[in-house]
Amino acid sequence: ISQKKKKKTSHFFINHENLLILYSFINLQCINIYNIIYKGERMYSIKSDVEDTTIIKKSKFITKLYYIDNINQITDILIKIKTIYSDASHICYAYIINSVEKCSDDKEPSGTAGIPILNVLKKNNLTNILAIVIRYFGGIKLGSSNLARTYSNCITNVLKNTNIIKIDYGLLIKIEFDFSKIKSIDFLLKNKNILNKIFNNTITYEFYIKYDELKLIDELKKLCIKTYIGEKKLIKIGDC
């Protein structure tokens, strides 16, 4: 008795990571990468660093939010805060960056500080952010549930008065071209934020593009511009 084998169907989802790999290894002269459809979740962050202070039953809570680009930056900020507020009772924090998240209760009862802070960040779909709450104990215990609520409210309240911005995955683009093409290039990139301009025997520009701007690479190819694709990172929409 023969049995027909069922054909296995494999599905390949083009996400941000796969798209970057395709860009790195496929010759852009052979395909129009813009025709590849990607799907990603929009994320948000804060436009600039903010601070707020509140007093709850004689305890002083100082809340600080920082926009961050990398893990090393987090380490530097925490060292600085612990130096400035070395006399504080607790320095609790949470951060999210590039899908990496971490929180600390800093000797507060387990689960009453770091996790509530982190949950507010996640609830607001925030990334590239470090939230710190510095507490000076005032002598009156709040109890675990009230303490957790207080740390959560510290972040919630400061976010109400914070400029929230959209951020998205972008690619660092570097182009090299002759002086004779500068007018055409400047016109094509008139709406882009050029991060770096270098003028030697040729001209070099560096800038970021969002994933919905991939067609721009095709336009650069038409002008026979040398195009190099660099790092992928989460960027503020206004930086593109």
Side-chain angles (χ1 to χ4, degrees), residues 20 170-173 208 229-233:
L20 181 63
L171 290 171
L172 179 63
I173 303 297
Y208 279 105
I229 300 169
E231 63 175 344
K232 183 207 75 169
K233 64 180 290 188

Side-chain angles (χ1 to χ4, degrees), residues 23-153:
Y23 253 106
S24 301
F25 293 96
I26 297 178
N27 187 338
L28 294 179
Q29 300 294 331
C30 298
I31 66 171
N32 183 351
I33 197 73
Y34 185 68
N35 290 328
I36 294 179
I37 300 174
Y38 78 94
K39 183 178 181 181
E41 183 180 13
R42 181 74 73 185
M43 299 295 289
Y44 299 87
S45 193
I46 58 174
K47 185 176 183 179
S48 57
D49 302 342
V50 291
E51 179 179 330
D52 187 39
T53 301
T54 186
I55 306 295
I56 305 293
K57 292 187 177 181
K58 296 185 179 182
S59 283
K60 183 178 181 180
F61 294 85
I62 303 171
T63 304
K64 293 176 177 287
L65 302 182
Y66 296 90
Y67 178 85
I68 53 175
D69 283 316
N70 56 71
I71 298 293
N72 293 333
Q73 189 178 354
I74 296 171
T75 302
D76 293 341
I77 292 172
L78 289 174
I79 290 175
K80 181 179 179 180
I81 291 296
K82 289 177 181 179
T83 300
I84 296 173
Y85 299 95
S86 59
D87 58 338
S89 305
H90 308 279
I91 299 178
C92 308
Y93 67 88
Y95 65 78
I96 302 175
I97 181 170
N98 296 331
S99 299
V100 176
E101 57 186 52
K102 183 180 178 180
C103 63
S104 170
D105 292 316
D106 191 31
K107 299 179 183 179
E108 288 281 32
S110 180
T112 62
I115 291 178
I117 295 172
L118 181 62
N119 285 340
V120 175
L121 301 182
K122 294 168 72 173
K123 181 180 177 180
N124 287 274
N125 207 25
L126 294 170
T127 187
N128 286 50
I129 185 170
L130 167 63
I132 303 174
V133 180
I134 303 147
R135 182 188 184 189
Y136 284 90
F137 182 57
I140 301 175
K141 293 184 178 181
L142 300 181
S144 295
S145 59
N146 286 333
L147 186 60
R149 190 179 303 110
T150 297
Y151 275 102
S152 177
N153 288 340

Side-chain angles (χ1 to χ4, degrees), residues 203-239:
I203 303 173
T204 301
Y205 282 2
E206 290 183 344
F207 54 93
Y208 279 105
I209 63 170
K210 302 190 296 292
Y211 277 84
D212 57 2
E213 296 177 320
L214 296 177
K215 196 173 183 179
L216 180 60
I217 294 178
D218 293 329
E219 298 299 322
L220 292 169
K221 287 196 301 179
K222 291 177 183 178
L223 293 172
C224 298
I225 302 301
K226 292 181 180 179
T227 304
Y228 307 90
I229 300 169
E231 63 175 344
K232 183 207 75 169
K233 64 180 290 188
L234 282 168
I235 55 176
K236 298 177 183 179
I237 296 299
D239 288 342

Side-chain angles (χ1 to χ4, degrees), residues 174-188:
K174 178 180 177 181
I175 60 174
E176 184 180 343
F177 54 93
D178 297 328
F179 280 82
S180 61
K181 296 179 180 179
I182 189 169
K183 288 186 177 180
S184 299
I185 295 299
D186 284 346
F187 178 78
L188 183 62

